[in-house]
């Protein structure tokens, strides 16, 4: 049985701080607005939807107590709609879609809504703690370092310069600015307050005025952490071939902290016929793959190879790639490792320009590549993200 994507939509992204436009909007509200949009857009019978699967990384406070069920309760779909919240760190939004696809392909479910949410202005990243970084019995044997150190380790090991990462970041901003100007983000919805007044109509973090000169003037974000905190020594102990950590990542060439949510409507052929909807794409294959937890962020390429192998495809069979721009060096390493050109990767910019709402991003970029495949009249897209702890996730979709 095939699993089809009938639609994929997202909210605008708001800056993830107290001054961000979406700071006054709860994450539950963001998801509920998307659920209402799906219902209205497709005249969807909510009784057909069997479950809501949401990725969310920091599951406390506004995002605690199973936010998927909370959003289902607020959506007006009815008491039948269940919800489950999962956490595969930055891959959570794509993992939610993949799990929905697995349910459908197995025949256990016919129609599921899946995606993710993260309100980073209201629930700070890392505020849920956890043994991975907090417990020396876990972190020391694993040579665990913060992700920013891992990104600088990638740059140091594979020879990416400050100019390389800044140039990549500049292109991310320029591509996103062009996409915004040309109205390419067609599956994005405006967030309105309870009175229907627009709160945010566009992605708040895009900076069309970005220049290479301005990026060059920013101070590295992780140098003091690496040197004073001892994390550089931990990384070099694991990778002794690296003489020193070249700290080149900063706020301008790393993913922006933002608020946002995204959902995909995933189901069987029979579900589509019941709804009177034609599928936009089918989920052809999916994969996860682990990597060394110190360098941590290099697994998108092996995860992508695994997904390609499962689909009986090779890298040249993919028309467009979307990789989460957690840090510029992550995307640069992915392109080098897999051997794909930049003109097929993140053609509308990425998380450096648009932002990375942790639990939602995977579903967001799935929708982005689907929209772009339709715009360019191309067929296949691969979506991949690096994940904390040394994991990667990849999903291949094909238009139908």
């Amino acid at each position: 049985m095939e699993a089809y994507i009938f639609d994929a939509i997202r909210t605008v992204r708001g800056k993830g701080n107290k001054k961000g436009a979406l700071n006054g909007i709860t994450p539950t509200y963001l998801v509920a607005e998307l659920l209402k949009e799906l219902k209205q857009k497709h005249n969807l019978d909510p009784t057909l939807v069997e479950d809501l699967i949401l990725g969310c990384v920091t599951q406390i406070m506004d995002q605690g107590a199973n936010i998927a069920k909370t959003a289902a309760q607020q959506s007006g779909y009815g008491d039948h709609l269940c919800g489950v919240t999962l956490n595969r760190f930055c891959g959570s939004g794509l993992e939610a879609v993949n799990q929905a696809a697995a349910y459908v392909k197995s025949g256990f479910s016919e129609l599921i809504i899946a995606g993710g949410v993260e309100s980073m202005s209201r629930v700070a990243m890392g505020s849920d703690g956890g043994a991975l970084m907090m417990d020396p019995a876990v972190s020391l044997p694993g040579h665990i370092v913060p992700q920013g150190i891992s990104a600088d380790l990638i740059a140091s090991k594979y020879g990416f310069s400050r100019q390389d990462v800044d140039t990549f970041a500049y292109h991310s901003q320029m591509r996103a600015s062009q996409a915004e100007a040309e109205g390419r983000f067609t599956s994005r919805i405006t967030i309105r307050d309870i009175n229907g007044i627009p709160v945010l109509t566009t992605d708040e973090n895009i900076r069309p005025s970005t220049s290479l000169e301005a990026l060059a003037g920013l101070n590295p974000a992780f140098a003091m952490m690496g040197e004073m905190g001892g994390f550089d020594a931990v990384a070099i102990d694991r990778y002794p071939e690296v003489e020193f950590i070249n700290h080149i990542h900063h706020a301008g060439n790393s993913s922006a902290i933002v608020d946002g949510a995204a959902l995909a409507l995933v189901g069987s052929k029979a579900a589509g016929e019941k709804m009177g909807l034609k599928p936009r794409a089918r989920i052809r294959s999916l994969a996860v793959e682990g990597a060394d937890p110190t360098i941590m962020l290099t697994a998108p390429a092996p995860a992508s190879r695994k997904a390609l192998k499962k689909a009986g495809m090779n890298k040249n069979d993919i028309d467009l790639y979307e990789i989460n721009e957690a840090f510029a060096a992550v995307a640069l390493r992915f392109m080098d490792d897999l051997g794909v050109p930049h003109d097929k990767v993140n053609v509308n910019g990425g998380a450096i320009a648009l932002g990375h709402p942790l639990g939602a991003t995977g579903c967001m970029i799935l929708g982005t590549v689907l929209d772009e495949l339709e715009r360019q009249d191309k067929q296949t897209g691969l979506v991949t993200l690096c994940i904390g702890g040394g994991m990667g996730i990849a999903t291949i979709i094909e238009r139908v």
Side-chain angles (χ1 to χ4, degrees), residues 79-119:
D79 292 342
H80 78 283
L81 184 57
C82 295
V84 61
T85 310
L86 60 84
N87 182 5
R88 198 189 284 279
F89 295 153
C90 297
S92 298
L94 190 58
E95 175 65 25
V97 175
N98 289 353
Q99 288 196 18
Y103 272 111
V104 171
K105 287 180 73 67
S106 71
F108 287 127
S109 297
E110 284 200 357
L111 188 65
I112 295 175
I113 295 176
V117 64
E118 207 81 30
S119 181

Side-chain angles (χ1 to χ4, degrees), residues 29-339:
Y29 187 90
L30 294 177
V31 178
E33 287 299 288
L34 289 174
L35 287 165
K36 293 172 185 176
E37 173 69 14
L38 282 175
K39 183 179 176 182
Q40 294 167 5
K41 181 178 179 182
H42 301 296
N43 194 25
L44 179 64
D45 179 356
T47 64
L48 297 177
V49 182
E50 297 170 65
D51 205 355
L52 173 63
I53 305 175
L54 278 187
C56 183
V57 175
T58 313
Q59 295 181 31
I60 62 170
M61 298 165 60
D62 283 342
Q63 296 175 168
N66 190 1
I67 189 173
K69 178 54 185 172
T70 309
Q73 189 70 32
Q74 193 171 346
S75 69
Y77 274 48
D79 292 342
H80 78 283
L81 184 57
C82 295
V84 61
T85 310
L86 60 84
N87 182 5
R88 198 189 284 279
F89 295 153
C90 297
S92 298
L94 190 58
E95 175 65 25
V97 175
N98 289 353
Q99 288 196 18
Y103 272 111
V104 171
K105 287 180 73 67
S106 71
F108 287 127
S109 297
E110 284 200 357
L111 188 65
I112 295 175
I113 295 176
V117 64
E118 207 81 30
S119 181
M120 302 180 76
S121 70
R122 298 173 68 92
V123 185
M125 179 171 52
S127 56
D128 54 341
L132 188 64
M133 287 296 297
M134 303 293 186
D135 185 351
V138 176
S139 59
L140 290 177
H143 287 76
I144 305 297
V145 298
Q147 285 193 10
I149 304 299
S150 297
D152 286 338
L153 173 60
I154 291 171
S156 303
K157 179 174 172 58
Y158 295 106
F160 299 121
S161 68
R162 172 68 183 261
Q163 184 176 4
D164 291 334
V165 292
D166 282 353
T167 299
F168 182 88
Y170 171 77
H171 286 301
S172 181
Q173 288 284 357
M174 294 305 102
R175 289 179 175 191
S177 298
Q178 182 178 359
E180 179 67 36
E182 295 180 2
R184 296 186 191 176
F185 298 127
T186 54
S187 294
R188 180 183 68 188
I189 72 164
T190 292
I191 291 298
R192 303 173 184 274
D193 65 17
I194 58 174
N195 298 309
I197 299 171
V199 175
L200 184 62
T201 61
T202 188
D203 295 306
E204 198 173 15
N205 195 71
I206 300 175
R207 296 186 294 275
S209 62
T210 297
S211 67
L212 287 170
E213 292 75 20
L215 291 170
L218 297 176
N219 293 323
F222 307 106
M224 182 175 295
M225 177 190 298
E227 294 163 12
M228 302 297 290
F231 292 113
D232 283 1
V234 174
I236 292 170
D237 184 59
R238 179 67 181 84
Y239 289 88
E241 69 273 22
V242 176
E243 293 185 15
F244 65 94
I245 304 299
N246 186 17
H247 291 287
I248 59 174
H249 286 93
H250 51 72
N253 58 33
S254 306
S255 56
I257 294 172
V258 295
D259 301 338
L263 293 177
L265 186 62
V266 179
S268 65
K269 181 180 179 181
E273 291 171 349
K274 288 179 184 177
M275 294 185 294
L277 289 178
K278 292 182 178 180
R280 295 175 65 189
R282 71 182 176 111
I283 297 175
R284 185 155 174 179
S285 75
L286 50 92
V288 292
E289 187 64 56
D292 169 61
T294 306
I295 205 163
M296 194 186 303
L297 310 173
T298 57
S304 297
R305 288 193 184 94
K306 193 173 181 180
L308 287 166
K309 184 177 180 180
K310 288 183 176 182
M313 304 171 75
N314 64 58
K315 65 181 182 181
N316 297 320
D317 293 324
I318 301 298
D319 293 315
L320 294 172
Y321 290 84
E322 284 286 329
I323 179 171
N324 184 38
E325 295 172 359
F327 301 90
V330 172
L332 291 171
R333 177 56 188 160
F334 170 78
M335 291 188 290
D336 282 359
D337 192 354
L338 204 62

Side-chain angles (χ1 to χ4, degrees), residues 3-20:
Y4 295 101
I5 301 171
F6 294 101
D7 205 358
I9 62 175
R10 70 170 177 91
T11 68
V12 288
R13 294 165 164 109
K15 290 184 178 180
N17 56 49
K18 298 303 180 185
K19 296 181 180 179

